[in-house]
Amino acid sequence: MWLPKQINTNIALYKAIADSLERDIHTGKLKSNDRLPPQRQLAETIGVNLTTVTRAYREANQRGLIETRKGDGTYVKARGIAYNANTSIQALQNSLIDFGFVNPGIADLTPLLKTIRQVGSASEVMDIYHYVDSAGLQRHRQTAANWLSQFGFRNINVNQIILTGGAMNAIHCTLLGLFQPGDTIASDPLTFPGFINAAKLCGIHLMAIPSDNEGMLPTALADACHTQQIKGVYLMPNMQNPTSTCMSDRRKMQLAEVIRSADLRLIEDDVFAFTNLESTTALSAMLPQHSIYICSFSKTLYPGLRIAYVKVSGRDCNAFLNALVHTVWMASPLNAEILSRMIESNDIHKVAVSIRAAISSRQQFARKNLSDFELSVNQESMFLWLTLPEEWHADAFENAALRVGIRVIASKKFSVDNSHCPNAIRIALTTEPDDKRFHEGILKLKALLHQSPTVVDAVM
């Protein structure tokens, strides 16, 4: 049971208890989702009245440290943002160097603005301002088919291409249209938090399948299919989030055989395909009858466009489209027109070249300055996966970084079931648009990594 070890007798007792709780969260003694003792039990154990503990818990809750779960007790808030009376997080929001959310903040807006002006003055595209076929306009779907052909797809049936409002919309349509509440989908132990949350919302159970430095182990997936009723598998073969693992073609073929034999639906999330220096083969291209392939541009080009190209197997098209109709009806034809024109004019490749150059430069700077620590990164990756020194706990480091004005993401957010949660953080490389601030942020992280949690907490 948690007990406050250090009490500051110079301040109100309830605040001293809340401070002790906050300190233990920072140092990793208390971790996300740890259950705290009931208020009455804690009051009796440490010899204070119940009102004092109640006020202490209320104070900790206001600081964003804990949460009360109705009928279940009080817990350390998952990935809670720490609060400090002298360093308000709210005051930091505008000055934060964001290494958390993956976003193409470095993307050149000039080609986008040029295309928007072209679309605005084009009289032949009046159809984009009206309701259209929910799958998207035929010409936009043809452009999508042409784009996807570089990832190993051959002779694509345009009727199996559906445009959605970004990858998350595609994920929700897949789960709502092709699966039932209670179904089980296999995934990597660490994966995209958006998919984890979408599965929870849809009542889908996720099963973590062991992986290695090439991704999911085919034998482990096959074994799980023999013992469990698995209906699908969610994978990011060409740039796994958060580890940046990339599968070899051999691993893809092995997994394709398991998926085909078990008659699973593959949900392939290839949102980082745009940053690949060379075209890579999609796993879905090996499984045209068993896959839903999602190619989005939000994380790698312009988030505001909110367009994803989805290649759906013939047997699943109607169910997927039905889910789309009952969520957003259709993706924005205006946004699809802008993206199509950028692809057809080759402007999209010019943007890609500049983004790749920025990734390379920032990776080089980060690798050089964080060379004392274990890094996992692919040359096209928009993020780094950094294993922390033993003295740091990931949640505590996330909060400590936030205190010095930097947002990073601790490993627990990516964990499917919390059983596989390495002591690591993800560092996004492309969200901060200013190189000077990016360099400043990396150097601050470097300094923080070389400090001990107790020293950092004492200073703060």
Side-chain angles (χ1 to χ4, degrees):
M1 182 179 79
W2 175 79
L3 291 174
K5 301 298 183 184
Q6 301 176 36
I7 295 291
N8 183 353
T9 58
N10 294 321
I11 61 175
L13 187 54
Y14 79 92
K15 286 189 176 180
I17 294 173
D19 286 348
S20 182
L21 177 63
E22 182 173 4
R23 181 166 48 250
D24 285 353
I25 291 173
H26 289 320
T27 59
K29 292 178 182 177
L30 281 173
K31 299 177 176 60
S32 293
N33 294 308
D34 278 356
R35 186 173 185 175
L36 296 174
Q39 295 179 21
R40 188 175 300 278
Q41 181 182 358
L42 181 60
E44 292 175 354
T45 302
I46 64 177
V48 299
N49 62 52
L50 177 60
T51 302
T52 299
V53 174
T54 299
R55 293 185 68 188
Y57 275 26
R58 185 183 301 122
E59 173 73 13
N61 183 273
Q62 290 173 347
R63 297 183 190 185
L65 299 168
I66 64 174
E67 60 183 358
T68 300
R69 300 176 186 174
K70 190 174 181 180
D72 193 26
T74 304
Y75 290 79
V76 176
K77 196 170 186 178
R79 301 171 297 280
I81 294 176
Y83 172 87
N84 181 282
N86 298 317
T87 311
S88 170
I89 296 305
Q90 285 73 23
L92 287 173
Q93 290 299 327
N94 293 331
S95 61
L96 276 177
I97 297 174
D98 196 350
F99 293 161
F101 189 67
V102 178
N103 177 39
I106 56 176
D108 182 7
L109 295 177
T110 304
L112 173 65
L113 296 175
K114 182 188 76 173
T115 307
I116 289 173
R117 287 193 291 270
Q118 291 174 346
V119 172
S121 61
S123 59
E124 73 275 12
V125 295
M126 291 305 296
D127 51 354
I128 66 175
Y129 304 109
H130 300 282
Y131 281 108
V132 301
D133 188 307
S134 291
L137 287 170
Q138 191 74 6
R139 67 173 185 275
H140 295 160
R141 294 161 76 187
Q142 184 59 61
T143 300
N146 296 340
W147 178 263
L148 296 185
S149 65
Q150 67 185 305
F151 303 120
F153 294 98
R154 295 291 180 267
N155 302 317
I156 298 177
N157 183 345
V158 174
N159 292 326
Q160 293 179 6
I161 299 289
I162 298 174
L163 273 58
T164 65
M168 282 305 304
N169 183 209
I171 286 171
H172 279 282
C173 288
T174 299
L175 297 179
L176 290 170
L178 309 181
F179 296 89
Q180 298 294 324
D183 282 352
T184 296
I185 294 177
S187 76
D188 292 313
L190 298 172
T191 196
F192 173 44
F195 185 78
I196 296 174
N197 294 328
K200 289 178 181 177
L201 284 173
C202 296
I204 304 294
H205 173 67
L206 296 184
M207 175 178 287
I209 305 297
S211 60
D212 61 11
N213 60 1
E214 280 198 43
M216 184 176 289
L217 292 168
T219 54
L221 178 60
D223 290 344
C225 289
H226 288 144
T227 60
Q228 305 290 330
Q229 292 293 319
I230 298 176
K231 298 296 182 67
V233 56
Y234 172 79
L235 292 170
M236 304 181 78
N238 293 324
M239 190 67 69
Q240 204 273 344
N241 184 9
T243 65
S244 73
T245 296
C246 294
M247 287 186 187
S248 65
D249 285 344
R250 182 171 181 271
R251 176 61 58 86
K252 289 175 185 175
M253 288 187 285
Q254 292 170 336
L255 281 169
E257 181 57 35
V258 175
I259 291 169
R260 192 181 296 110
S261 298
D263 195 25
L264 304 180
R265 283 188 174 92
L266 165 66
I267 308 167
E268 181 171 4
D269 190 342
D270 206 8
V271 298
F272 296 108
F274 181 72
T275 62
N276 288 341
L277 290 171
E278 296 180 0
S279 297
T280 54
T281 301
L283 177 56
S284 295
M286 305 176 185
L287 294 160
Q289 303 306 317
H290 292 81
S291 60
I292 300 92
Y293 177 80
I294 302 170
C295 178
S296 172
F297 299 82
S298 298
K299 281 186 169 55
T300 53
L301 184 62
Y302 304 122
L305 284 181
R306 306 307 303 156
I307 289 292
Y309 293 159
V310 187
K311 162 67 172 63
V312 185
S313 65
R315 64 173 178 170
D316 290 329
C317 272
N318 288 339
F320 184 98
L321 193 57
N322 187 58
L324 179 64
V325 168
H326 289 92
T327 53
V328 297
W329 181 266
M330 65 182 185
S332 165
L334 174 59
N335 292 354
E337 180 71 21
I338 292 169
L339 180 58
S340 290
R341 285 178 174 242
M342 289 193 67
I343 291 173
E344 291 159 3
S345 68
N346 211 40
D347 279 346
I348 195 169
H349 293 287
K350 297 174 184 176
V351 178
V353 168
S354 66
I355 289 177
R356 291 163 182 164
I359 289 173
S360 177
S361 174
R362 292 190 173 191
Q363 275 195 16
Q364 185 177 1
F365 184 86
R367 285 174 186 263
K368 177 181 176 181
N369 286 281
L370 301 176
S371 59
D372 291 342
F373 309 97
E374 182 182 341
L375 291 173
S376 174
V377 63
N378 181 280
Q379 66 175 344
E380 294 93 25
S381 177
M382 300 174 73
F383 44 86
L384 306 176
W385 185 241
L386 185 147
T387 300
L388 293 168
E390 289 184 4
E391 60 267 25
W392 275 109
H393 182 274
D395 287 348
F397 188 86
E398 179 182 332
N399 280 330
L402 195 61
R403 297 284 191 100
V404 297
I406 302 170
R407 191 193 309 277
V408 295
I409 304 296
S411 54
K412 186 165 287 186
K413 186 172 184 180
F414 304 96
S415 179
V416 168
D417 58 9
N418 291 332
S419 65
H420 181 86
C421 199
N423 194 34
I425 58 168
R426 191 190 70 183
I427 303 171
L429 299 174
T430 58
T431 303
E432 174 55 55
D434 183 72
D435 281 340
K436 184 178 179 181
R437 277 171 54 83
F438 173 81
H439 294 159
E440 175 190 343
I442 293 295
L443 294 177
K444 280 187 175 183
L445 285 184
K446 177 182 178 180
L448 191 61
L449 286 162
H450 281 292
Q451 297 181 55
S452 72
T454 52
V455 171
V456 171
D457 189 60
V459 171
M460 292 181 174

